[in-house]
């Protein structure tokens, strides 16, 4: 069943970095009642993320960088530990994540596995994130990582039990990263 909506207003509020729109629309409920909604929607494009993991070491490679939105919302230093990720721009999801892996982590990953696609914040953000996983090894190390241009990214190799403990104690609070680590545990790739 698709939604029955009538767009009343679609106004661009900002095109500074991405597009922020203000929508006014009428939504017809199941009982036929028409409900007027006013919502802001942020279109930042779609993205991709990857969990780099090693069965041999029972470890993962994660990144840590400053995220202004977390700082604004109470993260004291604004630093966030997360899986490698990036916006698709004009790349396919797989091309994007291969490029991001080399730039952010320094690993030129071989085979990547597409896991699923998820809306991460559908209440106000249009982004769909494509989730991938790949095994890493020192043989795949291309450079030190750390990002490009204005990025300042720390690369961390963490044992899987330590990463799991970081979720429990709040040091890992990124939704895509928690989802990927849970998937690795359920799939049996890594163990506690």
């Amino acid at each position: 069943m698709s939604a029955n909506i009538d767009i009343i207003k679609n106004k661009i509020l900002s095109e500074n970095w991405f597009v922020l729109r203000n929508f006014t629309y009428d939504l017809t409920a199941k009982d036929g009642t028409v409900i007027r909604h006013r919502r802001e929607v942020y279109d930042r494009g779609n993205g991709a993320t990857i969990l780099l993991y090693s069965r041999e070491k029972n470890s993962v490679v994660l990144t840590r960088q400053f995220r202004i939105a977390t700082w604004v919302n109470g993260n004291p230093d604004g630093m966030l530990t997360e899986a490698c990720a990036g916006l698709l721009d004009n790349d396919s999801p797989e091309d994007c994540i291969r490029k991001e892996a080399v730039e952010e982590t320094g690993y030129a990953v071989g085979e990547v596995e597409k896991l699923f696609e998820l809306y991460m914040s559908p209440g106000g953000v249009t982004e769909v994130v494509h989730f991938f996983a790949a095994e890493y090894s020192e043989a795949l190390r291309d450079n030190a990582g750390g990002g490009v241009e204005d990025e300042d990214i720390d690369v961390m190799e963490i044992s899987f039990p330590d990463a799991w403990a970081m979720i429990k104690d709040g040091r890992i609070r990124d939704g895509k990263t928690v989802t990927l680590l849970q998937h690795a545990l359920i799939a049996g790739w890594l163990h506690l």
Side-chain angles (χ1 to χ4, degrees):
M1 181 174 106
S2 63
N4 184 1
I5 66 167
D6 182 23
I7 303 295
I8 307 301
K9 179 177 78 171
N10 175 357
K11 179 181 178 185
I12 295 176
L13 300 178
S14 173
E15 292 180 285
N16 189 33
W17 192 7
F18 301 110
V19 180
L20 177 62
R21 296 178 183 272
N22 178 274
F23 283 95
T24 301
Y25 59 95
D26 289 340
L27 176 67
T28 304
K30 289 180 280 221
D31 67 1
T33 306
V34 175
I35 307 163
R36 179 147 298 175
H37 290 264
R38 289 176 184 80
R39 300 288 188 270
E40 290 182 359
V41 175
Y42 191 51
D43 184 351
R44 60 185 309 271
N46 295 325
T49 186
I50 189 165
L51 180 66
L52 299 179
Y53 68 96
S54 169
R55 292 177 203 252
E56 180 182 332
K57 293 180 168 183
N58 195 40
S59 61
V60 295
V61 171
L62 300 177
T63 63
R64 184 168 163 82
Q65 62 184 304
F66 180 77
R67 297 296 198 180
I68 186 69
T70 73
W71 180 81
V72 168
N73 197 22
N75 182 3
D77 65 2
M79 298 300 287
L80 197 66
T81 299
E82 57 189 295
C84 171
L87 293 175
L88 300 185
D89 298 321
N90 294 317
D91 294 328
S92 71
E94 187 172 320
D95 288 344
C96 167
I97 207 55
R98 287 178 183 283
K99 179 177 71 176
E100 291 292 334
V102 170
E103 290 174 0
E104 290 189 7
T105 71
Y107 288 95
V109 294
E111 183 96 13
V112 297
E113 180 182 350
K114 174 79 179 271
L115 303 174
F116 37 76
E117 302 170 15
L118 300 174
Y119 288 99
M120 295 304 290
S121 189
V125 181
T126 62
E127 181 181 31
V128 170
V129 178
H130 301 261
F131 285 72
F132 292 88
E135 290 203 61
Y136 76 93
S137 69
E138 286 309 307
L140 299 175
R141 174 68 83 175
D142 181 75
N143 62 69
V148 294
E149 298 167 6
D150 65 346
E151 296 178 317
D152 184 19
I153 298 171
D154 296 326
V155 181
M156 304 178 304
E157 183 177 42
I158 304 170
S159 76
F160 187 69
D162 286 349
W164 199 261
M166 291 171 73
I167 294 170
K168 290 177 128 183
D169 69 19
R171 287 178 288 159
I172 293 179
R173 299 174 62 191
D174 174 61
K176 67 186 179 302
T177 305
V178 172
T179 301
L180 284 166
L181 292 172
Q182 289 175 333
H183 186 84
L185 181 65
I186 292 167
W189 301 335
L190 303 170
H191 56 275
L192 297 175

